[in-house]
Amino acid sequence: MGMPFTRPYKDILQDLVAGLIQIPDCYSFFEMEASDWEAMSTEEKHEVLEALADDCFYGLGQEKILFVGSGSLQHDPKFHHIEIMKENTVIATVQLLDSEA
């Protein structure tokens, strides 16, 4: 099914990474242990977060909501954005459409 978007994909991924990092146990999406996550360098963590953002983007093309650790992501097709939630609060919104489109 997929999600329509007009923003550059790299910008969407960058915003998703910024939101996902706010979920303290986001790494558990990959069945990773906290000790493994903590042992990673900042660069390695960023690479994992980019892979997670990519998986979430494509996953939301098939599922309405994805659970990531103690948080979740949901595609809102009416407003063309992805909401990242933690503890029932929206912590980030990622726009899918370019404001100039």
Side-chain angles (χ1 to χ4, degrees):
M1 179 167 106
M3 293 183 292
F5 65 96
T6 58
R7 284 184 67 206
Y9 185 66
K10 67 177 183 62
D11 293 344
I12 293 170
L13 280 186
Q14 183 177 15
D15 289 350
L16 281 171
V17 166
L20 287 166
I21 196 130
Q22 296 180 62
I23 301 172
D25 57 349
C26 63
Y27 55 84
S28 67
F29 184 83
F30 291 124
E31 299 180 6
M32 185 181 295
E33 298 293 328
S35 59
D36 295 330
W37 177 253
E38 291 304 321
M40 294 177 126
S41 69
T42 301
E43 184 177 304
E44 290 170 324
K45 288 178 182 177
H46 188 75
E47 288 176 13
V48 169
L49 287 169
E50 284 182 340
L52 176 57
D54 189 57
D55 286 356
C56 288
F57 182 84
Y58 285 101
L60 286 170
Q62 302 295 317
E63 303 290 332
K64 183 173 172 69
I65 188 168
L66 291 176
F67 294 97
V68 176
S70 58
S72 64
L73 288 83
Q74 180 173 323
H75 174 228
D76 185 333
K78 181 178 180 182
F79 293 104
H80 306 287
H81 66 231
I82 297 169
E83 293 179 336
I84 303 173
M85 299 185 72
K86 181 176 76 173
E87 299 173 2
N88 296 321
T89 301
V90 175
I91 58 172
T93 302
V94 178
Q95 295 300 323
L96 299 175
L97 301 183
D98 194 332
S99 60
E100 298 175 11

